[in-house]
Amino acid sequence: MLKGTPPGAFQKPTKRIIPALWQCRDRDYRYTESDAEIAASQLGVDADKYPDLLRGMQHELEHHDLTCGSILASALISLAHFREDEDYYKKLEACGLS
């Protein structure tokens, strides 16, 4: 478990991760609510604990050169930011950085 991760924040995935979730997507792709729900499920995360996951994933598309638009990569980056600060993306937006 990562340092600073609250107990029970992440569960061991119960399903085999779907390879298609790692596939590259076009730069213009925009994630859907369904993408966020699937990513949370695949990563063993309770989506209700991260209501702004979709917002975070959309923001992380700025790192397309690293994530290649992968649903899981963007979700993992978003979740890492939520562990730092649950209002991470709200604060970015308030500063005009989102």
Side-chain angles (χ1 to χ4, degrees), residues 1-75:
M1 186 167 296
L2 296 174
K3 182 179 177 184
T5 303
F10 292 94
Q11 306 163 9
K12 187 174 182 178
T14 56
K15 304 176 195 173
R16 199 177 120 223
I17 291 182
I18 301 168
L21 297 176
W22 286 111
Q23 287 180 339
C24 290
R25 284 165 177 74
D26 294 333
R27 271 192 192 280
D28 297 330
Y29 185 81
R30 292 294 170 252
Y31 297 118
T32 64
E33 191 65 42
S34 176
D35 291 334
E37 290 170 6
I38 290 168
S41 171
Q42 286 289 300
L43 295 171
V45 174
D46 181 359
D48 293 335
K49 290 184 181 179
Y50 301 98
D52 287 336
L53 180 59
L54 177 59
R55 177 195 294 196
M57 290 172 63
Q58 296 287 24
H59 179 80
E60 297 310 330
L61 281 170
E62 74 179 4
H63 301 297
H64 191 277
D65 56 329
L66 298 173
T67 66
C68 198
S70 159
I71 291 172
L72 289 182
S74 295

